[in-house]
Amino acid sequence: NHVARKQISLDIMGGDGTPFKVQDTLIKPRSSCATTISSILAAEKVAPALKNIKDVKQVTVEVYEFAKERMATGEHHWNPDSRETADHSIPYVTAAALMHGTVTPRQFNDAHLWNPELRALIQKVEVVTNDEFTKVYERHSLLPVVHLTRVTVMTHSGERFVGESGGDKGDLSENKSDAQIEEKFRSLTEDFLGAKRVNAILDRLWHLDDLENVAVVPPAFVLG
């Protein structure tokens, strides 16, 4: 009740024809706050075209109103001082995706967070609300929710590059393939556990239904 901020009921957990809630679980495609992910996906489409990041003159990110209000309104969104602030910042994740092609946990380490070149690029990012994107996002009766976003990059040399996400252009809400889920798992674990252990863990997890006792799973994740 404290987390939901309202009275909730757990009378129906699923079964007997009622779907279990876990079937509605959303797996984020990138390691960042959900509301920033559409900006990452759009920026990733622009990144390959940028030959020299220093040639970027301006970056405009068009988002739905909720994203603008939550992830691009305060001074801290343009000057994050921690991983938690950075992954809740549209300017930061957009700049990081443009520089590195995508956003993984590595983009939030100190080396990236305080990179002067990345900091300079963040200051060139403008985030604006697109009313049409907001209307589509707020159609709560239609599922899945669509997170339309457009990233436009203007260069000093006069070139213009545009990347879009949302709906059929790639969305936070779209179903993930086994390959996408495995790719994200690897990106989150290989730096800590090594590829060999991750391969073994994945093999066990993909065959979870065959295990006699799931208690063998947690020890595989122990760092040592």
Side-chain angles (χ1 to χ4, degrees), residues 185 188-198 201 220-224:
F185 183 84
L188 293 171
T189 57
E190 283 192 348
D191 284 353
F192 304 98
L193 301 175
K196 186 176 180 179
R197 285 184 66 185
V198 170
I201 292 171
F221 288 87
V222 175
L223 297 175

Side-chain angles (χ1 to χ4, degrees), residues 76-107:
H76 61 287
H77 289 127
W78 275 264
N79 188 32
D81 59 2
S82 67
R83 185 239 157 85
E84 186 66 17
T85 308
D87 73 10
H88 284 66
S89 162
I90 288 177
Y92 182 90
V93 299
T94 300
L98 291 175
M99 279 191 67
H100 303 289
T102 189
V103 171
T104 72
R106 295 175 183 174
Q107 271 64 55

Side-chain angles (χ1 to χ4, degrees), residues 40-130:
I40 296 173
L41 297 178
E44 287 176 351
K45 296 179 179 179
V46 178
L50 300 178
K51 301 182 180 71
N52 183 355
I53 204 69
K54 293 181 179 180
D55 190 36
V56 173
K57 180 180 181 180
Q58 182 178 2
V59 180
T60 302
V61 185
E62 298 173 65
V63 294
Y64 47 99
E65 185 176 10
F66 182 83
K68 162 70 174 175
E69 290 180 349
R70 296 298 182 93
M71 306 294 158
T73 55
E75 190 275 335
H76 61 287
H77 289 127
W78 275 264
N79 188 32
D81 59 2
S82 67
R83 185 239 157 85
E84 186 66 17
T85 308
D87 73 10
H88 284 66
S89 162
I90 288 177
Y92 182 90
V93 299
T94 300
L98 291 175
M99 279 191 67
H100 303 289
T102 189
V103 171
T104 72
R106 295 175 183 174
Q107 271 64 55
F108 298 111
N109 62 28
D110 284 348
H112 289 86
L113 184 63
W114 301 108
N115 182 335
E117 192 173 12
L118 178 56
R119 289 275 166 171
L121 183 58
I122 292 171
Q123 303 311 311
K124 300 176 182 180
V125 177
E126 178 186 20
V127 182
V128 299
T129 299
N130 183 304

Side-chain angles (χ1 to χ4, degrees), residues 6-26:
K6 63 181 180 181
Q7 189 71 34
I8 62 173
S9 172
L10 298 178
D11 297 336
I12 300 176
M13 298 295 291
D16 294 327
T18 300
F20 289 96
K21 198 62 179 175
V22 70
Q23 293 177 285
D24 293 332
T25 299
L26 179 69

Side-chain angles (χ1 to χ4, degrees), residues 113-206:
L113 184 63
W114 301 108
N115 182 335
E117 192 173 12
L118 178 56
R119 289 275 166 171
L121 183 58
I122 292 171
Q123 303 311 311
K124 300 176 182 180
V125 177
E126 178 186 20
V127 182
V128 299
T129 299
N130 183 304
D131 292 339
E132 184 59 33
F133 293 178
T134 300
K135 290 178 183 178
V136 173
Y137 173 78
E138 292 179 347
R139 292 174 184 167
H140 299 301
S141 60
L142 298 178
L143 294 175
V145 176
V146 176
H147 308 79
L148 297 177
T149 298
R150 181 185 297 123
V151 171
T152 303
V153 176
M154 299 294 297
T155 69
H156 289 289
S157 56
E159 294 180 291
R160 179 175 179 269
F161 303 102
V162 180
E164 297 182 324
S165 65
D168 59 4
K169 294 183 176 68
D171 203 298
L172 166 66
S173 297
E174 69 182 358
N175 291 330
K176 310 301 183 298
S177 67
D178 288 356
Q180 288 175 309
I181 294 171
E182 185 167 312
E183 181 183 359
K184 183 181 180 183
F185 183 84
R186 290 184 183 281
S187 74
L188 293 171
T189 57
E190 283 192 348
D191 284 353
F192 304 98
L193 301 175
K196 186 176 180 179
R197 285 184 66 185
V198 170
N199 288 337
I201 292 171
L202 279 169
D203 182 66
R204 181 165 288 180
L205 292 176
W206 283 127

